[in-house]
Amino acid sequence: SQAYEFPTVAAYKAFTTDFPVGKIIHLLDRKAEFTIISGTGTANELNIIANTNTSQSASFNPAAVVDIRQVGVVGDGVVDDTAALQVAVTYPSIVGHESLNVRTTTSIFITSPTHWDMAGMKLLGESTGDSNPWIYIRSSNVTIEKGNFGDGTNAFSKAIVCGDYGDSDLFIRNINICDNKFLMAQLFNAQAVISGHGRTFELTITGNRFQSTHTYIDDPGNDNDGANNRAAIFMQNGAAALDLDSNQSWVIENNRCISFPFFFNNFSIGVTSGVKIRGNIISNGMSSIRAYHIYDCIVSENIITDCTDTMHLWQRTTFINNQVIRCGQLTPFNRPVFKVEAGTSLNVAGNQIREALGDGALIDGGNSDFTFGPNNAIYKCGGAGLVVSAPNEYPGQITGLSITGNRITENAEEGIKVECNAQLRGMTITGNHIAANGLNNTGDVAGILFENPSNFALNDITIAYNTIRNNDVVGGIQVAKTKWAVKFEQPASTFAEYLITKNVTHTELLVADDRTGGSGTGTVYDNFTLDIADPMLVGMVWSRNYDRTSIQIANRRGNGTPIGSVVPLYLGEEFFDTGGQNWYKGVGVSSGPWTSANWKLIS
């Protein structure tokens, strides 16, 4: 050791700047005595472990990482370590230890940059009714990683808050919360395990595990409750009043969330942008993702299973390559698993939405320039595959909606159901495969159904290049035709302008327009309908643009010859005698009555 004297704190700091930590370690062999003659400064400003006297003579550790046990953390799960931990988190780099169970009773405030490697340490936090967070981050450049938060008994758990509830001008950035485990009980007033408030930018939440020992009870009458606004991750702008230029740059990826609502945001003022929710596994919760007033939000490659509440997306969101399995709720509201509200310039593509308890997906009112597809697969859901509702809860027209290139199959009700409770303009349904829907067997089902109980105008509807087949009362089995490819079901006169062309259908009726005296132009041309053969018939024919095809029978069959007993339907019809194993062809040239000469044995 060697003694150094500095006239001021600033002089000491200049010394440590001129001589990097590595060199000081080499020269001073880890420790030295420092005496500050004048000036002010705390132990942590000087990067010292503990003061030795009031004159600021201190034992200085120039090493880059401080073990929290050196500042007095006991970590036995009983002793209140709040004060010692508060000292520890003010060092630039601190490390915990997996053997420590640290009990705190009030919030720990992080007010300076720090990298905290908890190294498997468990932070128990408070278990009382106090809903204050365990850790308050009020500084930029903070990392908290590899920790264990809670033991499943903390009834009012809120582990980490980034920002400040009361100071809307607090601006922090570069916060990293990575590779931690959060085992919580209930949230109640705590809002979230991790909360971002006000002006929190560049928040990265990756590789964490969120798990609750509590079963959340959903409010079935509230489609937006999201476990009463509770979630594993909560974004609250509040009085910060961010705007479209405020790219908050949040990255939430590769987390595992069990029995929690996952992401919830609540903006009382303003909007924001720049949130990426990617590669997470979310299960057994309520609202998996609720992203309102977040523009340019990307939700991709997540696996979401067994979540009871609806997932909500807002404007300018990209939702791609996700799997949403066994979610939603059938009763009492038949809630879909996926809901887009008031969207503008959204893109929803490459997703699997399957085995939903209610409808598969809902596109709500106020949408414009929105593309649903390509390559979404919606199947085996308890209601309709895709519902377009203008509006469901949010007012406004749906304009410029494109539903293209999707597979919508084996759902209980219609493939696509359009509920027209407001104006609907410029909608295209193209290139979709809509098949084997109507599995609930309650009646005839249309591949695409338009309902318009309020008589709103339907303008510029184009339905083209779709394959629509076997959406029927017997559940898609090819022993009966689909009743309708497209049906307009409206109780009174209203304006409807639609074009239906280039579709391929297995239908009894290509289009059913049940409006009473409706006006507008409905154009149907150049479609192909395929009649499904009777079980006793083999073969079928494509016919162009007929509501009901003429049945061309490639062959009929029966035990016995057709001569004298079967009337040919047309010249050239074939018949197979299953008893004699002989083929016959209808060769009659007269218009009738047909005679035995009109059937000839094919040799």
Side-chain angles (χ1 to χ4, degrees), residues 474-490:
V474 293
I477 301 172
Q478 289 190 357
V479 297
K481 307 174 183 69
T482 300
K483 185 67 175 179
W484 312 283
V486 181
K487 184 179 183 184
F488 294 88
E489 188 176 77
Q490 302 162 0

Side-chain angles (χ1 to χ4, degrees), residues 254-269:
N254 299 329
N255 300 284
R256 181 77 166 94
C257 184
I258 304 172
S259 299
F260 265 125
F262 181 59
F263 177 85
F264 191 93
N265 73 292
N266 182 34
F267 296 160
S268 58
I269 301 177

Side-chain angles (χ1 to χ4, degrees), residues 33-353:
E33 283 293 316
F34 288 82
T35 300
I36 306 299
I37 298 174
S38 64
T40 60
T42 66
N44 303 314
E45 283 185 277
L46 304 177
N47 196 25
I48 61 180
I49 293 180
N51 285 325
T52 57
N53 57 51
T54 57
S55 66
Q56 293 280 5
S57 177
S59 177
F60 173 71
N61 183 2
V65 179
V66 174
D67 191 312
I68 64 169
R69 290 172 292 188
Q70 293 179 267
V71 296
V73 170
V74 176
D76 64 357
V78 178
V79 172
D80 184 357
D81 283 317
T82 303
L85 191 59
Q86 182 63 70
V87 172
V89 297
T90 58
Y91 285 93
S93 185
I94 57 173
V95 65
H97 193 273
E98 62 182 355
S99 65
L100 300 179
N101 295 306
V102 178
R103 173 75 65 186
T104 59
T105 55
T106 59
S107 298
I108 303 299
F109 293 90
I110 297 179
T111 57
S112 60
T114 187
H115 183 157
W116 184 7
D117 179 358
M118 296 178 70
M121 186 190 87
K122 182 181 290 184
L123 181 64
L124 296 176
E126 48 190 325
S127 58
T128 67
D130 185 356
S131 61
N132 288 327
W134 301 353
I135 297 176
Y136 248 130
I137 298 176
R138 295 181 176 176
S139 171
S140 296
N141 304 313
V142 172
T143 295
I144 299 175
E145 63 177 348
K146 302 175 186 175
N148 293 293
F149 291 81
D151 59 3
T153 62
N154 304 79
F156 294 84
S157 307
K158 177 168 31 178
I160 300 173
V161 167
C162 306
D164 194 331
Y165 294 114
D167 184 0
S168 62
D169 293 325
L170 179 65
F171 182 102
I172 60 175
R173 64 171 65 249
N174 189 28
I175 311 299
N176 300 284
I177 303 173
C178 310
D179 301 319
N180 301 284
K181 296 179 181 178
F182 299 89
L183 181 57
M184 303 300 182
Q186 302 178 37
L187 294 177
F188 291 116
N189 295 327
Q191 286 186 330
V193 179
I194 300 175
S195 296
H197 286 256
R199 299 179 181 274
T200 300
F201 290 75
E202 298 169 16
L203 173 59
T204 299
I205 302 173
T206 63
N208 301 284
R209 181 183 179 93
F210 302 92
Q211 187 165 356
S212 174
T213 58
H214 173 70
T215 300
Y216 283 89
I217 305 300
D218 187 14
D219 176 4
N222 185 351
D223 201 32
N224 298 318
D225 67 337
N228 297 316
N229 298 356
R230 313 293 178 242
I233 302 168
F234 186 89
M235 174 185 271
Q236 171 69 65
N237 281 354
L242 299 173
D243 55 33
L244 285 176
D245 295 325
S246 299
N247 188 327
Q248 289 195 260
S249 299
W250 282 32
V251 177
I252 303 169
E253 65 179 0
N254 299 329
N255 300 284
R256 181 77 166 94
C257 184
I258 304 172
S259 299
F260 265 125
F262 181 59
F263 177 85
F264 191 93
N265 73 292
N266 182 34
F267 296 160
S268 58
I269 301 177
V271 297
T272 191
S273 65
V275 176
K276 295 180 181 178
I277 303 173
R278 180 173 56 205
N280 303 283
I281 300 176
I282 307 162
S283 61
N284 299 101
M286 291 177 54
S287 290
S288 53
I289 297 172
R290 182 187 189 272
Y292 280 172
H293 290 211
I294 300 178
Y295 291 72
D296 299 321
C297 177
I298 299 175
V299 182
S300 64
E301 301 175 31
N302 301 282
I303 299 175
I304 304 168
T305 62
D306 301 296
C307 295
T308 59
D309 201 0
T310 304
M311 176 170 50
H312 304 265
L313 298 181
W314 197 258
Q315 301 186 14
R316 297 211 312 242
T317 294
T318 297
F319 187 80
I320 56 174
N321 300 332
N322 300 279
Q323 295 186 50
V324 185
I325 306 167
R326 293 186 305 275
C327 295
Q329 192 163 301
L330 181 59
T331 57
F333 297 109
N334 195 29
R335 287 191 285 185
V337 302
F338 173 83
K339 186 175 183 180
V340 178
E341 299 174 354
T344 301
S345 301
L346 289 107
N347 182 26
V348 178
N351 304 285
Q352 285 193 34
I353 302 173

